Structure formats: structure tokens, C-alpha cells
Amino acid sequence: MSKKIFSGVQPTGNLHLGNYIGAIKNFVSLQNDPNNFCIYCVVDLHAITVKQNPFELKKNIRETAAAFIASGLDYKKSIIFNQSLVPAHAEGSWMLSCIARMGWLNRMTQFKEKAGKDKEKASVGLYIYPVLMAADILLYDATHVPVGEDQKQHLELSRDIANKFNLDFDSPNFLTPPEPLIQKNFARIMSLKDGTKKMSKSDPSELSRINLNDTSDQVLNKIKKAKTDNDPLPDNQNELSKRPEAENLLGIYSSLSDQPLNTTIKEFSGQNFSSFKEKLADLAVHKILPISKEINKLLKDENFLDNVLIEGAEKANQIASEKIKQLKKIVGF
Ligand code: TYM
């Protein structure tokens, strides 16, 4: 079955192994299936829901585009663009924010986490962020959205918004409720310092994550210092649920070597962490270093990156502006 794929990544710096394994790696395999039509967006409108330094933001937009390309996305096969170049996203987001209910947004756990204790001081943008995400997806009639586990609730909201719009305006099937594509064992890559916490750009400890632009020494050092427990590696998956650090590191190894988790468990069963970590570090350097080098090479050619984004935005704009036109007609404008 042919799929229409849409996904996005925020240009907030420090793209890490969680973004790569949970999302970008999957973007590439979806793109390489000729049945799929793929659109990948650098979601800069989402980024400004928390304060950004304008100079850094510009740099991070290019860096995210570079990370997409360095990881294997091909701007000739997929549409690659940044969100703020296509006005339909902001316009669609407004219209859908009149469909979404406060009660639905109040349940969003990511807002609660990001807003922290002082919700009153969070931006309104941060609160309605999932509605912008729904607009991103629904404007392109995306059928499937590859994301990590943390975005699952936002996708359910996108489905609710699509269904309510279709019902309210008696326009069945106008908006397509999207299906999440979440990889089974690798949807939540955890911090290298705490196997119960998600690997995240906002973690103050650099040792908690491997960044896509780390040097080989940094990758080796971070894996060497990654938290472990005292037992040898287990021989079955059930035992992993009680050993979050072992589960995370074996998961990372499996994803990077493109083999099922069970195969990795068998490969290392009974071994101690130090020998496993050596193999993991070799593999991570082997996989990450070419990406890191390519990102740095691409960043030297700002014109090239800007042109990829502009040309992608022209293609995206054709699709999204047509959908907005239809949306306006349905709403009565
Ligand atoms: P963002 O920029 O936080 O993350 C980009 C992608 O990386 C995944 N991810 C992870 N996966 C596994 N383990 C982790 N530790 C980890 N950390 C991040 C995220 O799940 C995501 O898939 N709201 C989105 C961006 C967005 C979007 C969209 C996504 C905006 N519009 C439309 C899909 C469709 C976000 O903030 O992702």
C-alpha cells in the first residue's frame, strides 16, 4: 500500500541518537520504499514556543537540514523544507485551534513536562503546540507519521482534531486521521546516565546523550561512562524490563546494527558490560562518525542548504495552500 509520510524535527540544536534512532533513521527507510511519498519538515515554528536566540535558530535550521541529508534523506526523493517558509502551517493551525478543545490540550503530558511547575509563565504557543503539529500533518493528508514514543499522544490529538472537523462540517474524509509509525523496541532511547529518563536535548549533562555531530573521542568517552548495573548481560528479554540501562544499550546496539533485539541479546548473553561497551562504541563510531563528518561538510555550504529548504518549501506550498483553500471553503470563508 502506498503511504503518505509526514514528520518533523525541531531545530533546537543538539540532535542526538534518540532523534536518529527514534525518528530520522526511520525517515530514511520510509523514503527508500518507492511506494511512499515523504515530506520531512524542520519545524522552526515549533521551536519558537520556547525562547530562541535568533542567530542560533538560523544556524540550527541549517544544521537540522544538514543532519537529515547526512543521515540519508535525499531532497530529490523527499520534500525537505522548513515550516516557516510555508504560511499554510500557521493559517491551518489557527483554524484547527478552533476545533481542538481545551480539555484535550490540558491532557498533553509533554506540555506539563516542558512548562514545569510554573505553567502560568509558559507561552501560549507551547500550550497549543500540538495543534500546529496537527496542522502540519493534516495539510498534506499524511497517512503515516514516523515518530518516537514521546509524540504518540500528540498524534492521537491530531486524529481527534481530524475526526471532529470532518464531523462538525459534515465533510467525511476531508481530513485524514494519521497513523503513528512507532518502532517497537527503539521508540524511546534513554539517557546514558539514567536508563529511566528519556535521552533529551535539554538534559544539562552532555554525557547523557550522543550528539549526531560528536567526534569519535566524544562517542567513545560517553559510552565508556554510560551507567550500567553489576550483572552480566541477560539471556532473555523479560529480564531486561528490570534492567533499564542494559535494555537501553542493547536496544541502541540492535538499532544501529539493524538486527532484532533478541539477536543482540543472544550475541552478548552472559558477557560483562565492559566487553559489550567496546563493541557498542566501535559500532556507534562507525555509524555516527560519517554522519557527523557529512553534517560538518554540508554546514560549510549554506547556500546549498538554503536552496534545498527553499525548493522543498515551494513543493510543500503547492500541496498545503491547495488544502487551505479547500479548508476555507468548507469553513465558510
Ligand atoms: P522533536 O524535535 O522533539 O524530536 C524529533 C523526533 O525525535 C524523536 N525523539 C526520540 N525518539 C526516541 N528516543 C528519544 N529519546 C527521542 N527524543 C526525540 C521524537 O519522538 C520525534 O519523532 N513535535 C515534534 C516535531 C513535530 C512533528 C510534527 C513530528 C512537529 N510537527 C508533525 C511529526 C509530525 C517534536 O518536538 O519532535
Side-chain angles (χ1 to χ4, degrees), residues 6-10 16 18-19 22-23 43 46 110 114 129 133 136-137 145-151 154 186-190 198-199 201:
F6 184 99
S7 198
V9 175
Q10 290 196 64
H16 53 69
N19 299 125
V43 291
H46 277 95
Q110 197 163 81
K114 286 197 176 172
Y129 166 124
M133 184 163 158
D136 297 343
I137 299 164
V145 181
V147 282
E149 178 73 32
D150 61 340
Q151 298 299 320
H154 292 160
F186 320 121
R188 209 170 146 78
I189 301 301
M190 309 309 270
K198 198 182 72 168
M199 184 179 284
K201 323 181 183 194

PDB file of all heavy atoms in Angstrom, residues 6-10 16 18-19 22-23 43 46 110 114 129 133 136-137 145-151 154 186-190 198-199 201, ligand 1:
ATOM      1  N   PHE A   6       4.543  12.076   6.680  1.00  0.00           N
ATOM      2  CA  PHE A   6       4.982  13.417   7.113  1.00  0.00           C
ATOM      3  C   PHE A   6       5.630  13.266   8.488  1.00  0.00           C
ATOM      4  O   PHE A   6       5.108  12.571   9.359  1.00  0.00           O
ATOM      5  CB  PHE A   6       3.796  14.391   7.231  1.00  0.00           C
ATOM      6  CG  PHE A   6       4.249  15.792   7.575  1.00  0.00           C
ATOM      7  CD1 PHE A   6       4.382  16.755   6.573  1.00  0.00           C
ATOM      8  CD2 PHE A   6       4.584  16.146   8.876  1.00  0.00           C
ATOM      9  CE1 PHE A   6       4.845  18.039   6.869  1.00  0.00           C
ATOM     10  CE2 PHE A   6       5.049  17.419   9.193  1.00  0.00           C
ATOM     11  CZ  PHE A   6       5.169  18.376   8.181  1.00  0.00           C
ATOM     12  N   SER A   7       6.758  13.947   8.672  1.00  0.00           N
ATOM     13  CA  SER A   7       7.270  14.058  10.037  1.00  0.00           C
ATOM     14  C   SER A   7       8.133  15.307  10.168  1.00  0.00           C
ATOM     15  O   SER A   7       8.495  15.924   9.164  1.00  0.00           O
ATOM     16  CB  SER A   7       8.049  12.812  10.454  1.00  0.00           C
ATOM     17  OG  SER A   7       8.149  12.797  11.879  1.00  0.00           O
ATOM     18  N   GLY A   8       8.420  15.659  11.410  1.00  0.00           N
ATOM     19  CA  GLY A   8       9.176  16.888  11.649  1.00  0.00           C
ATOM     20  C   GLY A   8      10.141  16.753  12.810  1.00  0.00           C
ATOM     21  O   GLY A   8       9.974  15.896  13.686  1.00  0.00           O
ATOM     22  N   VAL A   9      11.157  17.595  12.775  1.00  0.00           N
ATOM     23  CA  VAL A   9      12.142  17.651  13.868  1.00  0.00           C
ATOM     24  C   VAL A   9      12.384  19.122  14.194  1.00  0.00           C
ATOM     25  O   VAL A   9      12.526  19.946  13.290  1.00  0.00           O
ATOM     26  CB  VAL A   9      13.475  16.971  13.447  1.00  0.00           C
ATOM     27  CG1 VAL A   9      14.538  17.135  14.524  1.00  0.00           C
ATOM     28  CG2 VAL A   9      13.260  15.486  13.151  1.00  0.00           C
ATOM     29  N   GLN A  10      12.442  19.432  15.473  1.00  0.00           N
ATOM     30  CA  GLN A  10      12.670  20.824  15.875  1.00  0.00           C
ATOM     31  C   GLN A  10      14.140  21.218  15.727  1.00  0.00           C
ATOM     32  O   GLN A  10      15.013  20.465  16.153  1.00  0.00           O
ATOM     33  CB  GLN A  10      12.307  21.005  17.347  1.00  0.00           C
ATOM     34  CG  GLN A  10      10.841  20.922  17.621  1.00  0.00           C
ATOM     35  CD  GLN A  10      10.543  21.493  18.989  1.00  0.00           C
ATOM     36  OE1 GLN A  10      10.742  22.677  19.247  1.00  0.00           O
ATOM     37  NE2 GLN A  10      10.070  20.642  19.869  1.00  0.00           N
ATOM     38  N   HIS A  16      20.372  14.270  18.608  1.00  0.00           N
ATOM     39  CA  HIS A  16      21.080  13.176  19.296  1.00  0.00           C
ATOM     40  C   HIS A  16      20.639  11.814  18.792  1.00  0.00           C
ATOM     41  O   HIS A  16      19.774  11.706  17.914  1.00  0.00           O
ATOM     42  CB  HIS A  16      20.870  13.328  20.806  1.00  0.00           C
ATOM     43  CG  HIS A  16      19.420  13.442  21.194  1.00  0.00           C
ATOM     44  ND1 HIS A  16      18.533  12.404  21.088  1.00  0.00           N
ATOM     45  CD2 HIS A  16      18.687  14.487  21.647  1.00  0.00           C
ATOM     46  CE1 HIS A  16      17.336  12.790  21.489  1.00  0.00           C
ATOM     47  NE2 HIS A  16      17.395  14.060  21.822  1.00  0.00           N
ATOM     48  N   GLY A  18      18.799   9.650  20.100  1.00  0.00           N
ATOM     49  CA  GLY A  18      17.359   9.387  20.259  1.00  0.00           C
ATOM     50  C   GLY A  18      16.592   9.882  19.037  1.00  0.00           C
ATOM     51  O   GLY A  18      15.745   9.168  18.494  1.00  0.00           O
ATOM     52  N   ASN A  19      16.910  11.097  18.578  1.00  0.00           N
ATOM     53  CA  ASN A  19      16.260  11.622  17.367  1.00  0.00           C
ATOM     54  C   ASN A  19      16.583  10.726  16.169  1.00  0.00           C
ATOM     55  O   ASN A  19      15.727  10.458  15.329  1.00  0.00           O
ATOM     56  CB  ASN A  19      16.759  13.038  17.022  1.00  0.00           C
ATOM     57  CG  ASN A  19      16.473  14.056  18.109  1.00  0.00           C
ATOM     58  OD1 ASN A  19      17.382  14.723  18.581  1.00  0.00           O
ATOM     59  ND2 ASN A  19      15.231  14.175  18.530  1.00  0.00           N
ATOM     60  N   GLY A  22      15.035   7.000  16.977  1.00  0.00           N
ATOM     61  CA  GLY A  22      13.573   7.056  17.133  1.00  0.00           C
ATOM     62  C   GLY A  22      12.877   7.605  15.899  1.00  0.00           C
ATOM     63  O   GLY A  22      11.715   7.277  15.639  1.00  0.00           O
ATOM     64  N   ALA A  23      13.552   8.454  15.123  1.00  0.00           N
ATOM     65  CA  ALA A  23      12.849   9.113  14.024  1.00  0.00           C
ATOM     66  C   ALA A  23      13.632   9.101  12.710  1.00  0.00           C
ATOM     67  O   ALA A  23      13.233   8.446  11.749  1.00  0.00           O
ATOM     68  CB  ALA A  23      12.510  10.555  14.441  1.00  0.00           C
ATOM     69  N   VAL A  43      10.848  21.910  11.852  1.00  0.00           N
ATOM     70  CA  VAL A  43       9.690  22.641  12.391  1.00  0.00           C
ATOM     71  C   VAL A  43      10.148  23.850  13.229  1.00  0.00           C
ATOM     72  O   VAL A  43      10.126  23.839  14.449  1.00  0.00           O
ATOM     73  CB  VAL A  43       8.726  21.703  13.179  1.00  0.00           C
ATOM     74  CG1 VAL A  43       8.022  20.744  12.228  1.00  0.00           C
ATOM     75  CG2 VAL A  43       9.435  20.892  14.248  1.00  0.00           C
ATOM     76  N   HIS A  46       7.592  25.498  15.594  1.00  0.00           N
ATOM     77  CA  HIS A  46       7.510  24.822  16.894  1.00  0.00           C
ATOM     78  C   HIS A  46       8.649  25.261  17.820  1.00  0.00           C
ATOM     79  O   HIS A  46       8.468  25.383  19.028  1.00  0.00           O
ATOM     80  CB  HIS A  46       7.591  23.299  16.714  1.00  0.00           C
ATOM     81  CG  HIS A  46       6.278  22.679  16.355  1.00  0.00           C
ATOM     82  ND1 HIS A  46       5.901  22.415  15.065  1.00  0.00           N
ATOM     83  CD2 HIS A  46       5.242  22.279  17.131  1.00  0.00           C
ATOM     84  CE1 HIS A  46       4.697  21.875  15.057  1.00  0.00           C
ATOM     85  NE2 HIS A  46       4.270  21.774  16.303  1.00  0.00           N
ATOM     86  N   GLN A 110       3.359  16.279  27.472  1.00  0.00           N
ATOM     87  CA  GLN A 110       4.593  16.989  27.122  1.00  0.00           C
ATOM     88  C   GLN A 110       4.512  18.463  27.528  1.00  0.00           C
ATOM     89  O   GLN A 110       5.505  19.047  27.948  1.00  0.00           O
ATOM     90  CB  GLN A 110       4.903  16.865  25.630  1.00  0.00           C
ATOM     91  CG  GLN A 110       6.341  17.216  25.365  1.00  0.00           C
ATOM     92  CD  GLN A 110       6.846  16.743  24.012  1.00  0.00           C
ATOM     93  OE1 GLN A 110       6.612  17.365  22.992  1.00  0.00           O
ATOM     94  NE2 GLN A 110       7.544  15.631  23.999  1.00  0.00           N
ATOM     95  N   LYS A 114       7.201  20.223  29.845  1.00  0.00           N
ATOM     96  CA  LYS A 114       8.003  21.354  29.365  1.00  0.00           C
ATOM     97  C   LYS A 114       7.688  22.632  30.126  1.00  0.00           C
ATOM     98  O   LYS A 114       8.568  23.473  30.333  1.00  0.00           O
ATOM     99  CB  LYS A 114       7.765  21.576  27.873  1.00  0.00           C
ATOM    100  CG  LYS A 114       8.440  20.530  27.015  1.00  0.00           C
ATOM    101  CD  LYS A 114       8.542  20.966  25.569  1.00  0.00           C
ATOM    102  CE  LYS A 114       9.311  19.940  24.762  1.00  0.00           C
ATOM    103  NZ  LYS A 114       9.306  20.186  23.336  1.00  0.00           N
ATOM    104  N   TYR A 129       0.908  24.069  20.874  1.00  0.00           N
ATOM    105  CA  TYR A 129       1.897  23.419  20.017  1.00  0.00           C
ATOM    106  C   TYR A 129       1.359  22.158  19.325  1.00  0.00           C
ATOM    107  O   TYR A 129       1.557  21.971  18.121  1.00  0.00           O
ATOM    108  CB  TYR A 129       3.074  23.157  20.952  1.00  0.00           C
ATOM    109  CG  TYR A 129       4.186  22.254  20.591  1.00  0.00           C
ATOM    110  CD1 TYR A 129       5.491  22.735  20.603  1.00  0.00           C
ATOM    111  CD2 TYR A 129       3.991  20.907  20.321  1.00  0.00           C
ATOM    112  CE1 TYR A 129       6.561  21.909  20.335  1.00  0.00           C
ATOM    113  CE2 TYR A 129       5.052  20.083  20.043  1.00  0.00           C
ATOM    114  CZ  TYR A 129       6.325  20.582  20.052  1.00  0.00           C
ATOM    115  OH  TYR A 129       7.380  19.760  19.774  1.00  0.00           O
ATOM    116  N   MET A 133       1.115  21.007  15.258  1.00  0.00           N
ATOM    117  CA  MET A 133       1.598  19.701  14.780  1.00  0.00           C
ATOM    118  C   MET A 133       0.492  18.984  13.984  1.00  0.00           C
ATOM    119  O   MET A 133       0.761  18.375  12.942  1.00  0.00           O
ATOM    120  CB  MET A 133       2.033  18.879  16.004  1.00  0.00           C
ATOM    121  CG  MET A 133       2.633  17.568  15.660  1.00  0.00           C
ATOM    122  SD  MET A 133       3.554  16.918  17.077  1.00  0.00           S
ATOM    123  CE  MET A 133       3.553  15.192  16.613  1.00  0.00           C
ATOM    124  N   ASP A 136       0.367  20.557  10.595  1.00  0.00           N
ATOM    125  CA  ASP A 136       1.474  20.063   9.771  1.00  0.00           C
ATOM    126  C   ASP A 136       1.058  18.790   9.024  1.00  0.00           C
ATOM    127  O   ASP A 136       1.284  18.646   7.828  1.00  0.00           O
ATOM    128  CB  ASP A 136       2.686  19.661  10.643  1.00  0.00           C
ATOM    129  CG  ASP A 136       3.292  20.817  11.420  1.00  0.00           C
ATOM    130  OD1 ASP A 136       3.020  21.969  11.065  1.00  0.00           O
ATOM    131  OD2 ASP A 136       4.033  20.545  12.390  1.00  0.00           O
ATOM    132  N   ILE A 137       0.487  17.885   9.795  1.00  0.00           N
ATOM    133  CA  ILE A 137       0.201  16.545   9.261  1.00  0.00           C
ATOM    134  C   ILE A 137      -1.028  16.570   8.353  1.00  0.00           C
ATOM    135  O   ILE A 137      -1.023  16.025   7.248  1.00  0.00           O
ATOM    136  CB  ILE A 137      -0.052  15.576  10.445  1.00  0.00           C
ATOM    137  CG1 ILE A 137       1.200  15.495  11.327  1.00  0.00           C
ATOM    138  CG2 ILE A 137      -0.492  14.212   9.963  1.00  0.00           C
ATOM    139  CD1 ILE A 137       0.952  14.888  12.711  1.00  0.00           C
ATOM    140  N   VAL A 145       2.806   8.730  10.178  1.00  0.00           N
ATOM    141  CA  VAL A 145       3.743   9.690  10.773  1.00  0.00           C
ATOM    142  C   VAL A 145       4.780   8.946  11.622  1.00  0.00           C
ATOM    143  O   VAL A 145       4.459   8.434  12.701  1.00  0.00           O
ATOM    144  CB  VAL A 145       2.967  10.715  11.644  1.00  0.00           C
ATOM    145  CG1 VAL A 145       3.923  11.720  12.252  1.00  0.00           C
ATOM    146  CG2 VAL A 145       1.912  11.429  10.812  1.00  0.00           C
ATOM    147  N   PRO A 146       6.024   8.865  11.137  1.00  0.00           N
ATOM    148  CA  PRO A 146       7.062   8.198  11.939  1.00  0.00           C
ATOM    149  C   PRO A 146       7.561   9.114  13.057  1.00  0.00           C
ATOM    150  O   PRO A 146       8.025  10.227  12.793  1.00  0.00           O
ATOM    151  CB  PRO A 146       8.188   7.941  10.915  1.00  0.00           C
ATOM    152  CG  PRO A 146       7.971   8.952   9.829  1.00  0.00           C
ATOM    153  CD  PRO A 146       6.516   9.312   9.829  1.00  0.00           C
ATOM    154  N   VAL A 147       7.456   8.648  14.284  1.00  0.00           N
ATOM    155  CA  VAL A 147       7.888   9.444  15.449  1.00  0.00           C
ATOM    156  C   VAL A 147       8.393   8.513  16.548  1.00  0.00           C
ATOM    157  O   VAL A 147       8.164   7.305  16.495  1.00  0.00           O
ATOM    158  CB  VAL A 147       6.723  10.273  16.061  1.00  0.00           C
ATOM    159  CG1 VAL A 147       6.429  11.518  15.260  1.00  0.00           C
ATOM    160  CG2 VAL A 147       5.487   9.434  16.264  1.00  0.00           C
ATOM    161  N   GLY A 148       9.043   9.085  17.545  1.00  0.00           N
ATOM    162  CA  GLY A 148       9.373   8.355  18.763  1.00  0.00           C
ATOM    163  C   GLY A 148       8.141   8.309  19.662  1.00  0.00           C
ATOM    164  O   GLY A 148       7.151   9.023  19.443  1.00  0.00           O
ATOM    165  N   GLU A 149       8.251   7.478  20.692  1.00  0.00           N
ATOM    166  CA  GLU A 149       7.137   7.232  21.620  1.00  0.00           C
ATOM    167  C   GLU A 149       6.568   8.527  22.232  1.00  0.00           C
ATOM    168  O   GLU A 149       5.362   8.661  22.434  1.00  0.00           O
ATOM    169  CB  GLU A 149       7.676   6.306  22.730  1.00  0.00           C
ATOM    170  CG  GLU A 149       6.724   5.952  23.839  1.00  0.00           C
ATOM    171  CD  GLU A 149       5.664   4.963  23.396  1.00  0.00           C
ATOM    172  OE1 GLU A 149       5.942   4.126  22.528  1.00  0.00           O
ATOM    173  OE2 GLU A 149       4.542   5.066  23.956  1.00  0.00           O
ATOM    174  N   ASP A 150       7.458   9.517  22.480  1.00  0.00           N
ATOM    175  CA  ASP A 150       7.011  10.734  23.176  1.00  0.00           C
ATOM    176  C   ASP A 150       5.993  11.551  22.376  1.00  0.00           C
ATOM    177  O   ASP A 150       5.333  12.427  22.930  1.00  0.00           O
ATOM    178  CB  ASP A 150       8.222  11.611  23.549  1.00  0.00           C
ATOM    179  CG  ASP A 150       9.016  12.066  22.334  1.00  0.00           C
ATOM    180  OD1 ASP A 150       8.898  11.436  21.261  1.00  0.00           O
ATOM    181  OD2 ASP A 150       9.752  13.061  22.443  1.00  0.00           O
ATOM    182  N   GLN A 151       5.854  11.276  21.078  1.00  0.00           N
ATOM    183  CA  GLN A 151       4.923  12.060  20.258  1.00  0.00           C
ATOM    184  C   GLN A 151       3.585  11.351  20.055  1.00  0.00           C
ATOM    185  O   GLN A 151       2.702  11.866  19.356  1.00  0.00           O
ATOM    186  CB  GLN A 151       5.545  12.373  18.892  1.00  0.00           C
ATOM    187  CG  GLN A 151       6.800  13.217  18.979  1.00  0.00           C
ATOM    188  CD  GLN A 151       6.538  14.568  19.620  1.00  0.00           C
ATOM    189  OE1 GLN A 151       5.511  15.205  19.368  1.00  0.00           O
ATOM    190  NE2 GLN A 151       7.440  15.004  20.483  1.00  0.00           N
ATOM    191  N   HIS A 154       0.434  13.279  20.961  1.00  0.00           N
ATOM    192  CA  HIS A 154       0.156  14.367  20.012  1.00  0.00           C
ATOM    193  C   HIS A 154      -0.507  13.835  18.737  1.00  0.00           C
ATOM    194  O   HIS A 154      -1.355  14.503  18.132  1.00  0.00           O
ATOM    195  CB  HIS A 154       1.441  15.106  19.657  1.00  0.00           C
ATOM    196  CG  HIS A 154       2.019  15.883  20.795  1.00  0.00           C
ATOM    197  ND1 HIS A 154       3.326  16.283  20.845  1.00  0.00           N
ATOM    198  CD2 HIS A 154       1.452  16.332  21.944  1.00  0.00           C
ATOM    199  CE1 HIS A 154       3.548  16.947  21.964  1.00  0.00           C
ATOM    200  NE2 HIS A 154       2.422  16.970  22.655  1.00  0.00           N
ATOM    201  N   PHE A 186      12.663   0.439  19.708  1.00  0.00           N
ATOM    202  CA  PHE A 186      13.615   1.556  19.702  1.00  0.00           C
ATOM    203  C   PHE A 186      12.916   2.911  19.747  1.00  0.00           C
ATOM    204  O   PHE A 186      13.455   3.920  19.297  1.00  0.00           O
ATOM    205  CB  PHE A 186      14.509   1.480  18.453  1.00  0.00           C
ATOM    206  CG  PHE A 186      14.933   0.090  18.110  1.00  0.00           C
ATOM    207  CD1 PHE A 186      14.617  -0.466  16.884  1.00  0.00           C
ATOM    208  CD2 PHE A 186      15.636  -0.668  19.031  1.00  0.00           C
ATOM    209  CE1 PHE A 186      15.011  -1.763  16.569  1.00  0.00           C
ATOM    210  CE2 PHE A 186      16.031  -1.961  18.733  1.00  0.00           C
ATOM    211  CZ  PHE A 186      15.716  -2.512  17.499  1.00  0.00           C
ATOM    212  N   ALA A 187      11.688   2.936  20.274  1.00  0.00           N
ATOM    213  CA  ALA A 187      10.893   4.158  20.199  1.00  0.00           C
ATOM    214  C   ALA A 187      11.248   5.145  21.298  1.00  0.00           C
ATOM    215  O   ALA A 187      10.817   6.294  21.277  1.00  0.00           O
ATOM    216  CB  ALA A 187       9.417   3.816  20.290  1.00  0.00           C
ATOM    217  N   ARG A 188      12.010   4.684  22.272  1.00  0.00           N
ATOM    218  CA  ARG A 188      12.335   5.537  23.411  1.00  0.00           C
ATOM    219  C   ARG A 188      13.764   5.255  23.826  1.00  0.00           C
ATOM    220  O   ARG A 188      14.036   4.321  24.592  1.00  0.00           O
ATOM    221  CB  ARG A 188      11.353   5.200  24.547  1.00  0.00           C
ATOM    222  CG  ARG A 188      11.070   6.330  25.467  1.00  0.00           C
ATOM    223  CD  ARG A 188       9.918   5.935  26.381  1.00  0.00           C
ATOM    224  NE  ARG A 188      10.100   6.533  27.682  1.00  0.00           N
ATOM    225  CZ  ARG A 188       9.842   7.810  27.951  1.00  0.00           C
ATOM    226  NH1 ARG A 188       9.352   8.591  27.035  1.00  0.00           N
ATOM    227  NH2 ARG A 188      10.061   8.291  29.149  1.00  0.00           N
ATOM    228  N   ILE A 189      14.693   6.014  23.280  1.00  0.00           N
ATOM    229  CA  ILE A 189      16.096   5.842  23.635  1.00  0.00           C
ATOM    230  C   ILE A 189      16.324   6.653  24.912  1.00  0.00           C
ATOM    231  O   ILE A 189      15.911   7.809  25.016  1.00  0.00           O
ATOM    232  CB  ILE A 189      17.011   6.341  22.482  1.00  0.00           C
ATOM    233  CG1 ILE A 189      16.720   5.562  21.194  1.00  0.00           C
ATOM    234  CG2 ILE A 189      18.490   6.239  22.867  1.00  0.00           C
ATOM    235  CD1 ILE A 189      16.915   4.064  21.267  1.00  0.00           C
ATOM    236  N   MET A 190      16.965   6.012  25.885  1.00  0.00           N
ATOM    237  CA  MET A 190      17.061   6.629  27.204  1.00  0.00           C
ATOM    238  C   MET A 190      18.428   7.286  27.414  1.00  0.00           C
ATOM    239  O   MET A 190      19.383   7.031  26.674  1.00  0.00           O
ATOM    240  CB  MET A 190      16.824   5.568  28.294  1.00  0.00           C
ATOM    241  CG  MET A 190      15.566   4.744  28.087  1.00  0.00           C
ATOM    242  SD  MET A 190      14.078   5.726  27.802  1.00  0.00           S
ATOM    243  CE  MET A 190      13.501   5.942  29.447  1.00  0.00           C
ATOM    244  N   LYS A 198      14.305   9.772  29.476  1.00  0.00           N
ATOM    245  CA  LYS A 198      14.473   9.847  28.018  1.00  0.00           C
ATOM    246  C   LYS A 198      15.757  10.597  27.642  1.00  0.00           C
ATOM    247  O   LYS A 198      16.093  11.592  28.290  1.00  0.00           O
ATOM    248  CB  LYS A 198      13.257  10.606  27.462  1.00  0.00           C
ATOM    249  CG  LYS A 198      13.008  10.443  26.004  1.00  0.00           C
ATOM    250  CD  LYS A 198      11.802  11.276  25.566  1.00  0.00           C
ATOM    251  CE  LYS A 198      12.112  12.749  25.564  1.00  0.00           C
ATOM    252  NZ  LYS A 198      11.132  13.604  24.907  1.00  0.00           N
ATOM    253  N   MET A 199      16.455  10.134  26.597  1.00  0.00           N
ATOM    254  CA  MET A 199      17.582  10.924  26.076  1.00  0.00           C
ATOM    255  C   MET A 199      16.992  12.206  25.489  1.00  0.00           C
ATOM    256  O   MET A 199      16.047  12.149  24.703  1.00  0.00           O
ATOM    257  CB  MET A 199      18.330  10.138  24.993  1.00  0.00           C
ATOM    258  CG  MET A 199      19.565  10.861  24.491  1.00  0.00           C
ATOM    259  SD  MET A 199      20.484   9.935  23.220  1.00  0.00           S
ATOM    260  CE  MET A 199      21.303   8.687  24.183  1.00  0.00           C
ATOM    261  N   LYS A 201      17.519  16.638  24.365  1.00  0.00           N
ATOM    262  CA  LYS A 201      18.407  17.775  24.085  1.00  0.00           C
ATOM    263  C   LYS A 201      18.541  18.675  25.295  1.00  0.00           C
ATOM    264  O   LYS A 201      19.492  19.427  25.428  1.00  0.00           O
ATOM    265  CB  LYS A 201      17.850  18.691  22.993  1.00  0.00           C
ATOM    266  CG  LYS A 201      17.142  18.045  21.885  1.00  0.00           C
ATOM    267  CD  LYS A 201      16.646  19.036  20.839  1.00  0.00           C
ATOM    268  CE  LYS A 201      15.867  18.250  19.808  1.00  0.00           C
ATOM    269  NZ  LYS A 201      15.561  18.884  18.594  1.00  0.00           N
TER     270      LYS A 201
HETATM  271  P1  TYM B   1      11.433  16.617  18.485  1.00  0.00           P
HETATM  272  O1  TYM B   1      12.132  17.646  17.669  1.00  0.00           O
HETATM  273  O2  TYM B   1      11.431  16.736  19.955  1.00  0.00           O
HETATM  274  O3  TYM B   1      12.041  15.192  18.142  1.00  0.00           O
HETATM  275  C1  TYM B   1      12.180  14.737  16.796  1.00  0.00           C
HETATM  276  C2  TYM B   1      11.871  13.244  16.720  1.00  0.00           C
HETATM  277  O4  TYM B   1      12.781  12.527  17.562  1.00  0.00           O
HETATM  278  C3  TYM B   1      12.038  11.656  18.423  1.00  0.00           C
HETATM  279  N1  TYM B   1      12.772  11.527  19.697  1.00  0.00           N
HETATM  280  C4  TYM B   1      13.088  10.351  20.246  1.00  0.00           C
HETATM  281  N2  TYM B   1      12.870   9.089  19.855  1.00  0.00           N
HETATM  282  C5  TYM B   1      13.345   8.107  20.642  1.00  0.00           C
HETATM  283  N3  TYM B   1      14.022   8.327  21.801  1.00  0.00           N
HETATM  284  C6  TYM B   1      14.271   9.584  22.229  1.00  0.00           C
HETATM  285  N4  TYM B   1      14.950   9.793  23.350  1.00  0.00           N
HETATM  286  C7  TYM B   1      13.798  10.671  21.452  1.00  0.00           C
HETATM  287  N5  TYM B   1      13.860  12.018  21.567  1.00  0.00           N
HETATM  288  C8  TYM B   1      13.227  12.525  20.483  1.00  0.00           C
HETATM  289  C9  TYM B   1      10.701  12.359  18.622  1.00  0.00           C
HETATM  290  O5  TYM B   1       9.705  11.444  19.025  1.00  0.00           O
HETATM  291  C10 TYM B   1      10.450  12.909  17.232  1.00  0.00           C
HETATM  292  O6  TYM B   1       9.877  11.926  16.396  1.00  0.00           O
HETATM  293  N6  TYM B   1       6.584  17.762  17.994  1.00  0.00           N
HETATM  294  C11 TYM B   1       7.702  17.119  17.347  1.00  0.00           C
HETATM  295  C12 TYM B   1       8.042  17.672  15.985  1.00  0.00           C
HETATM  296  C13 TYM B   1       6.879  17.784  15.049  1.00  0.00           C
HETATM  297  C14 TYM B   1       6.288  16.721  14.312  1.00  0.00           C
HETATM  298  C15 TYM B   1       5.273  17.353  13.526  1.00  0.00           C
HETATM  299  C16 TYM B   1       6.501  15.364  14.274  1.00  0.00           C
HETATM  300  C17 TYM B   1       6.253  18.934  14.705  1.00  0.00           C
HETATM  301  N7  TYM B   1       5.272  18.666  13.759  1.00  0.00           N
HETATM  302  C18 TYM B   1       4.468  16.579  12.691  1.00  0.00           C
HETATM  303  C19 TYM B   1       5.702  14.609  13.434  1.00  0.00           C
HETATM  304  C20 TYM B   1       4.687  15.219  12.644  1.00  0.00           C
HETATM  305  C21 TYM B   1       8.936  17.287  18.233  1.00  0.00           C
HETATM  306  O7  TYM B   1       9.012  18.167  19.019  1.00  0.00           O
HETATM  307  O8  TYM B   1       9.945  16.428  17.947  1.00  0.00           O
END
